Amino acid sequence: MLHGVDVSAHQSSFDADGLDFVFIKATEGRSYVNPRLNDQTKRARDADCVVGFYHFLWPGNIAAQAEYFVSKAPEKAGDLLAVDWEQNGEGTRASNAEKDSFIREVKRLRPNHRVLLYCNRYFWLNHDTTSYAGDGLWIADYVTAGKPRIKASWRIHQHTDQPLDKDVANFASRSAMRTWARK
């Protein structure tokens, strides 16, 4: 198992030493860009981590959100892309069809990149109706690292949010993850 974190503007800094991968929040909706995106990307790249970027999905305007995400997320061969599908601050969420549409649109816009679905166990079990996760499922379930309580295949498991979001990836080595990421 590989070890990584996912960060957003809430983390003014993070220690990349010993990490294999880092996911960075890039965008949300059609107007928000993480103000720490460039600094966090540099920190992850300087530590030779596999780097991924995610978009927090809102309901509606799916094609516009996908275009916004790919216009703001750095583009480098081997970078991973993900959609964060969960309840937003207004208590709403994108539908399952919107989630699927967003993943497909990002894959169309960036065909040489892997696109993953991030969601928590509750969403996966109660809101997902297609089991479509693009190129891989990134599941949040706060239990023992690498043992999420789902039957689906997964690539990344977020197992805690203390003191920040920590993840493990189901790859034998950083090199194997990097090779997979490069499609």
Side-chain angles (χ1 to χ4, degrees):
M1 292 280 161
L2 303 182
H3 296 276
V5 297
D6 56 278
V7 297
S8 68
H10 297 290
Q11 289 77 38
S12 59
S13 184
F14 65 95
D15 185 1
D17 290 342
L19 297 179
D20 298 296
F21 64 96
V22 175
F23 272 88
I24 303 160
K25 181 177 185 176
T27 55
E28 180 173 332
R30 294 179 301 138
S31 61
Y32 175 83
V33 176
N34 175 356
R36 294 191 165 112
L37 177 62
N38 292 335
D39 291 339
Q40 291 171 333
T41 301
K42 182 178 181 338
R43 181 178 302 270
R45 292 200 198 291
D46 287 352
D48 197 34
C49 293
V50 176
V51 179
F53 301 97
Y54 69 92
H55 173 83
F56 189 98
L57 188 65
W58 280 71
N61 302 307
I62 299 305
Q65 286 189 70
E67 289 172 13
Y68 186 70
F69 175 47
V70 300
S71 76
K72 303 298 183 189
E75 184 172 4
K76 182 178 176 184
D79 284 347
L80 297 167
L81 302 173
V83 58
D84 180 348
W85 183 44
E86 57 186 294
Q87 185 170 302
N88 61 38
E90 294 180 358
T92 64
R93 63 174 169 81
S95 70
N96 188 84
E98 288 174 317
K99 173 264 296 181
D100 290 356
S101 179
F102 182 88
I103 293 170
R104 287 186 174 93
E105 184 64 9
V106 171
K107 288 174 71 62
R108 185 187 73 75
L109 293 168
R110 289 237 186 128
N112 297 320
H113 291 263
R114 298 273 186 187
V115 181
L116 296 94
L117 167 66
Y118 168 90
C119 67
N120 61 40
R121 179 177 180 262
Y122 179 83
F123 262 59
W124 184 252
L125 297 176
N126 297 288
H127 295 301
D128 184 81
T129 59
T130 59
S131 298
Y132 182 63
D135 296 310
L137 177 60
W138 173 14
I139 191 77
D141 187 22
Y142 296 171
V143 294
T144 303
K147 298 188 183 295
R149 297 168 297 164
I150 59 170
K151 294 183 182 187
S153 295
W154 56 273
R155 287 287 180 178
I156 300 171
H157 174 208
Q158 181 187 88
H159 57 90
T160 187
D161 62 357
Q162 298 298 319
L164 70 156
D165 293 347
K166 292 184 181 180
D167 307 271
V168 293
N170 196 10
F171 292 93
S173 66
R174 188 184 306 182
S175 175
M177 186 178 192
R178 198 176 305 279
T179 298
W180 177 80
R182 292 185 183 272
K183 282 187 108 170

